[in-house]
Amino acid sequence: MTVVAPLIDGFGRVHTDLRISVTDRCNLRCTYCMPLEVVFKPREELLTFEEIGRVAGVAATLGIRTIRLTGGEPLMRRDLPELVRQLTAVPGIEEVALTTNGLLLAEQAADLHAAGLTRLNVSLDSLTTEGFERVARRPGLDRALAGLEVAKREGFQSIRINAVSIKGLTEAEIVPLARFCRREEFHLRFIEFMPLDAEESWDKSQVLSGADVRAVLERELGPLVAEQADDPGQPAIDYRWVDGGRVGFINAVTRPFCDRCDRLRLTADGQVRNCLFSTVEWDARSLLRGGGADTEIATLIRDCVAAKRAAHGIDTPSFARPSRAMYQIGG
Ligand code: SAM
Ligand code: SF4
């Protein structure tokens, strides 16, 4: 598909990736993301599959090529495979991926794969019941592991494990997670804790840096060799052990990757965002429900891209947290 004018922001970054949140609901309550007590958006405020498909279709004409479904917990949205089917059929979309906590994956993996989902990211912070529940504040480890097993059998092109690193909370998980992922041939990625927790307890001193995690891995499991990035827009820096296994680091706080960011986001309630840390949103839902034309949706997306800041600026004195937490934005 020829793109007449790609989505280029004021800093020359070309946008080709759209993260779509399909719900703010979740079956876990991870400390770094959600509050314990939560009021979810009424269902009528969430975009329908038809509305999501329309935004994706317009975005594809502007050069969006990959879509990642997220949430909240995306597998809690009924009939998700149907949405995957619709999105993989959008002209120009080359790949649809999913980020999930995996609790409902055992039941849904086959349908998702058959619908055209190729890549899976499963978030898993601990392999012990105690560790899992300390972070997730709900049970679910056995279901997540069962989901991973079914997904592996299903033969997805890629399965990645995401683990958030928090000082004083997740140090003991580093080596067991790495051993597990090497054995199971999952690609492990450690993500630095970002100031997007609903309880607003984030403090820089809690960020367990990717460099510190890497040092532990090298000490315990042997030297790591840097890998060439498959995709220049990817936020992770990946490494490989010479005797097998890959591990990556998304050092969003200590080594921001804003200069190569190629992402846009659509929240479950239909707001377009140009950054996880954006404090402004562009209201696509009002256009969709108010008879807006595709050209108007395209203009809204372009305006959003044009307003993108150079960097998230977490370390700058003027940094202001977004008013919505990770589960409301879509990570
Ligand atoms: N529920 C799904 C899951 O957990 O994979 C999808 C949504 S979740 C918001 C997406 C990703 O964001 C997960 O990998 C999660 O670990 C990560 N995440 C959530 N809050 C975060 C934070 N404050 N800092 C860093 N990563 C965070
Ligand atoms: Fe739910 Fe994912 Fe947030 Fe955990 S990180 S509370 S699983 S949305």
Side-chain angles (χ1 to χ4, degrees):
M1 181 193 257
T2 328
V3 178
V4 183
L7 291 168
I8 306 179
D9 70 11
F11 303 91
R13 294 170 295 196
V14 182
H15 291 69
T16 55
D17 183 62
L18 178 64
R19 309 268 144 157
I20 300 177
S21 173
V22 294
T23 181
D24 57 347
R25 280 159 210 270
C26 188
N27 40 10
L28 296 179
R29 294 287 182 272
C30 304
T31 53
Y32 48 69
C33 179
M34 282 187 94
L36 257 185
E37 299 299 328
V38 50
V39 180
F40 294 114
K41 290 262 171 209
R43 273 172 212 283
E44 62 277 12
E45 290 189 18
L46 305 190
L47 294 192
T48 63
F49 286 177
E50 199 189 341
E51 290 167 336
I52 293 173
R54 200 164 154 220
V55 176
V58 172
T61 66
L62 305 176
I64 293 294
R65 291 291 165 264
T66 53
I67 288 177
R68 180 172 296 279
L69 298 174
T70 183
E73 174 45 42
L75 299 187
M76 291 188 75
R77 180 83 188 241
R78 194 189 301 249
D79 296 331
L80 194 71
E82 178 50 36
L83 179 65
V84 171
R85 210 167 288 118
Q86 286 178 22
L87 294 175
T88 50
V90 171
I93 296 301
E94 293 162 3
E95 181 183 286
V96 179
L98 171 78
T99 300
T100 171
N101 62 28
L103 267 65
L104 299 169
L105 199 51
E107 299 90 308
Q108 298 189 34
D111 287 347
L112 288 164
H113 196 222
L117 192 82
T118 46
R119 290 177 187 272
L120 263 184
N121 276 9
V122 179
S123 304
L124 182 66
D125 297 310
S126 173
L127 291 165
T128 67
T129 305
E130 198 202 349
F132 184 96
E133 292 177 14
R134 193 167 40 228
V135 175
R137 299 188 290 193
R138 288 209 175 164
L141 176 63
D142 292 349
R143 289 165 74 196
L145 292 176
L148 272 171
E149 205 181 305
V150 175
K152 192 174 171 185
R153 253 186 281 136
E154 202 47 54
F156 283 93
Q157 194 182 314
S158 129
I159 301 183
R160 283 206 299 242
I161 305 291
N162 285 346
V164 178
S165 302
I166 303 181
K167 254 191 202 152
L169 191 66
T170 65
E171 286 91 341
E173 318 295 346
I174 299 171
V175 173
L177 277 172
R179 288 208 167 101
F180 169 77
C181 289
R182 285 177 86 180
R183 192 179 68 232
E184 297 293 328
E185 299 184 344
F186 297 140
H187 182 173
L188 175 60
R189 276 185 173 167
F190 291 98
I191 308 174
E192 288 178 351
F193 180 27
M194 294 181 268
L196 290 166
D197 55 317
E199 288 163 352
E200 303 201 5
S201 70
W202 182 93
D203 182 86
K204 182 105 193 262
S205 64
Q206 292 169 292
V207 178
L208 176 57
S209 74
D212 285 350
V213 175
R214 182 155 66 93
V216 171
L217 290 173
E218 293 207 297
R219 192 178 67 226
E220 300 294 324
L221 302 175
L224 287 163
V225 183
E227 286 217 302
Q228 195 72 26
D230 322 326
D231 160 13
Q234 72 169 39
I237 310 170
D238 286 323
Y239 293 81
R240 185 178 283 284
W241 279 284
V242 277
D243 54 347
R246 286 171 85 189
V247 63
F249 302 92
I250 302 186
N251 300 337
V253 178
T254 61
R255 299 276 303 274
F257 42 85
C258 306
D259 58 338
R260 44 183 208 283
C261 180
D262 63 357
R263 297 169 176 193
L264 280 180
R265 296 188 139 78
L266 177 65
T267 65
D269 57 353
Q271 309 301 302
V272 183
R273 298 173 65 94
N274 55 28
C275 177
L276 269 177
F277 296 96
S278 177
T279 50
V280 191
E281 297 182 334
W282 280 257
D283 185 3
R285 191 183 62 196
S286 293
L287 269 184
L288 290 162
R289 295 188 181 173
D294 283 0
T295 48
E296 291 176 86
I297 299 171
T299 302
L300 177 139
I301 295 174
R302 284 199 189 284
D303 289 348
C304 174
V305 170
K308 186 156 169 156
R309 289 177 304 184
H312 59 49
I314 290 176
D315 261 340
T316 60
S318 60
F319 177 72
R321 287 179 58 118
S323 58
R324 303 220 264 176
M326 191 67 122
Y327 75 101
Q328 298 164 312
I329 298 169

